[in-house]
Each structure stands twice: as structure tokens, then as C-alpha cells.
Amino acid sequence: MYLPVERVGTRVRHIVALVIGILIGTLSFGWQFCHMYAQTTLCYIAMLILPSSCMHIGVFVLAMGYLVTLHLYRAYMIPEDVLYSIDVSGPVMIVTQKITSLAFSVHDGCYGNKDIMSDLRKRYIVSRQPSLLEYYSYMFYFQGVVVGPLCFYKDYISFVEGADISPKKGKNGLENNNVYQSNRKLSPFNVVVYKLCIALFWLGFHFTFKPVYPEMLNADLEFIRSHVFLYRVWYMLISMLCCRAKYYVAFTLGDAICNASGLGFNGYDSEGNPKWDLITNVSIRGIEGATSFKTYVDNWNIQTATWLRHVCYDRIPVQKRFFTFFLSALWHGCYAGYYFTFVSAVPLSEVARKVRRKIRPYFQTSEGRKMAYNILTWFSTHIVISYMVVPFTILHLGPTFIFYSFNLYWNVHILAVAIFVILRYIPTYKNSAEENITQKELVSTTQNNLHSSFKQQPNASSVKQPDVDILKNE
């Protein structure tokens, strides 16, 4: 935005983003930043030398293999007393997403069948291999080199080339509402200030309440023995909120940094207001107000969820949900807690989906019932999600078993199995009004079919005489 493409050209924009990104990364992580150079370079070479038909698979295995090796080293080789020091695994996780998403997009551009592609895959198709400058600029652009969020290659190139703010029709039919074209004052100032305020609020919340509600107490035997069950459930909910707060800070701050440079513009809404949510990574309102498992997941780590769908869910022919959650766990790290969380998410999300489909219609008959259902599902959703992600925060196998066995007694897992069985015996809700409409439609359709059949019958002169004689005799 401060180096317009009309004035400096795309090459200069690529170089500036790359150089500043390398400087920030080197100053932040020192020699560890060499892992970023090694991984990106190896994968670029693989893109060039591997056959295009299988290039995406080879690059995916290479990039994920490098990341998993780094995770294993971090989990089992770094001493516990320095485990939480600054390390480069976070940026490597982001760059792994960039590498693999780019490889799959290039493959879709060369070999993909658009007739069977999902809309998401079509949206991110890349028709050619990026040049060396374009590739490294994308991998190391300064806005997202430290904390992300992920920006897909096609969106990044559109930003560098200025295509993201070119004239195009909005939902209201106007050509970008002529705002940018007329006064050239498209500014992210207001949205950046707003997001910075949100980040500061959650930063203060985190530092205020996290010391009071440390997540490790969920697996502390002394704490469990000295508090009743209901308080432990309350403590779990608050401690997980404190853990979410730090991610709210990171996600919102990363989004604000990108917006400040002009990255993240997503056109205009129907009222002509600019949208800066192209690479937004979290909807805090959506998370805290979620009344279903799906709503919660859809609003959390949005870009990572999009990446998982792009490289895994839309391509795996069987067990899509299981392999997607497993890849998510593998991408996050090698601690047992990650796998407890994401493997548990598979059956729990399936049960949540069945409950919503089977039970929800019973509560849609009146406003009071709808409100009761929303309150109940909001409360249960946050309990289930918190129960599920405690292992994600405490990481290790021993504390995870202590939490599930002695704190909450595996109750959500047991309840999920019970609900799964019970749902089989609950009849599908049928609205009487809908039944009447369906019956009327059925009668109307039958009458129309009969009427059409009578119309299509041949006239008397065309009927064979022997048949008429038989009818008369009867």
C-alpha cells in the first residue's frame, strides 16, 4: 500500500517484502532461522525436479517430514527448563502450510480436473511454477514471517500485483463502489486500530487471569482432591478461556500487521464498506458465542482449517474427518496431548452432528424452545470443547490421563457413546404442518398425473374393436 505497484512495480514489492522478512526472522530467531532457508530451498528444488504429476505429494512429504523432525527434536531433545523459550517451530509450521498449499495449487493448475474439484481448490489454482523471487517473497514476506497468518499464494500475488484492489463488481452491483478508483484513499487505519485494541484487551485478560487459573492444575492430584466436581468443571472452563486469550492476541495482532501493509483487503460489502477479512484467522465472537461444535471449529484458526481442507479433506476419498484431524495433530507437534485432542474430536464431532440433526427440530416449534436450545447447546459446546482441548494445553501423556481419569472421569467420552446409542431409538421429528403440506402435495401430484394420463389416452376410434367387445361383455 505504501509502495504502489503503479509507482515501483511488482519486482520491487517482492524484494522489499523478502528482505524485511529475512531481517525480522533473523533478528527474532538467530541461527534457528536457517531451518526456514533449508526447508524452503529443499522444497523448491523438489518442485522443479519431481514429475508434475506427483510433485505435490513429494513436496508435501518433504515439508511435513522436515516439520515433524523439528517437532520431535523440540519435544524430546530440548530440556524442560528451556522448552518454552523462543524457537522457530512456529514460523516453520506457517511456512509448511505455504509450501504444501502452493504445491497442491500448482498441481491443480497443471493436472486438476475442474469438473470434480471443490470450489476451494478452483479458487486457489496456480497455473505456473513461481519464479525464484516470487517463491522466496511468498515464503518470507515480512507481514507474516513470525506469527502468520497463512495467506495463500494466489491471494499474496494478487496483493503484490495490486489485483486485489482492481475494479470489480460488488454485491451491490457497483464497481468497487468507485471508492478506491476515485480518491485512492483506501485505508486500513480504522480496522487496524480496532484489531489492535482487541489484541490489547485479550493481552491484559491473559496476564491478569492466567496466573490465577493455570491450566496445569486441571491435572494436579492435590487440586482434584481438594475441590468438588462442579468447581473443577468451572475451573476447566475458565482456564481454557485464559489459554484461548493468548491465541486471540497472536491471531488478531498478526491480522492487524498484515492489514496495516494493505494485505488482507477482501473487496467491499453490500453497503460499500471495505472488508479486511481475507486472512483473518479467528472470529472471537463466533468462538465465544458458538452453539455447535461445527460453529466453534469454523471460527477457530480459520486459515489453518482452510489449508487442511485444501490439502487433505477435499482430496482424501475415505475417512476424511479422521485423516484431517490426524494431519492437524501432526502439524501441531509430537506431544501426546495433541493426539488425544484431535483423535477425540473425530467421534465427538460426529455425535454433535447427529444430535443437532436429530434433536434440534424438536426445539424449533416456538421461540421459547429455540432460546432454551441455544442456551443448552452453548453451554454444552463449551464444556465439550474445553474437555477436549485440556490435553492440548498440558501436552504430556501422564497429566492427560490424570485429568481424564481422576478429574472428569472420562465422562464426556462415556456420555458421547451413550448418546450415540440412544439416538438410534429417537424418532426423526416430523412437523405436522409439514406433513399436511407433503400430503397435499402428494395428492395434488397424483391428481395431476391421473389427469395427464387421461389426456394422453387414445380416442375411441383408435381403440381396437375386440377390446371394446370384451368390456361390453363384462
Side-chain angles (χ1 to χ4, degrees), residues 133-134 153 175 202 213 386:
L133 177 60
E134 289 171 335
Y153 179 80
E175 194 175 73
W202 287 106
Y213 296 95
S386 297

Side-chain angles (χ1 to χ4, degrees), residues 366-436:
S366 68
E367 291 301 320
R369 287 190 174 189
K370 288 180 181 179
M371 181 177 294
Y373 177 83
N374 288 336
I375 293 173
L376 179 63
T377 52
W378 175 84
F379 190 65
S380 59
T381 295
H382 283 269
I383 286 181
V384 171
I385 293 291
S386 297
Y387 171 92
M388 190 180 71
V389 301
V390 165
F392 186 94
T393 63
I394 60 181
L395 300 178
H396 299 290
L397 184 62
T400 295
F401 272 109
I402 291 174
F403 168 71
Y404 280 141
S405 301
F406 301 105
N407 192 332
L408 295 187
Y409 316 117
W410 299 91
N411 51 21
V412 172
H413 287 89
I414 295 170
L415 185 61
V417 174
I419 291 174
F420 185 81
V421 174
I422 293 170
L423 284 176
R424 295 183 177 184
Y425 301 98
I426 296 179
T428 302
Y429 178 81
K430 292 182 180 180
N431 192 322
S432 58
E434 292 178 355
E435 283 185 341
N436 292 335

Side-chain angles (χ1 to χ4, degrees), residues 210-218 223 227 229-241 407:
K210 182 70 184 300
V212 183
Y213 296 95
E215 68 275 9
M216 293 304 295
L217 282 184
N218 287 292
F223 172 82
H227 294 86
F229 177 78
L230 288 179
Y231 179 81
R232 298 200 303 266
V233 172
W234 162 258
Y235 187 93
M236 175 189 70
L237 291 170
I238 299 301
S239 62
M240 291 303 100
L241 175 59
N407 192 332

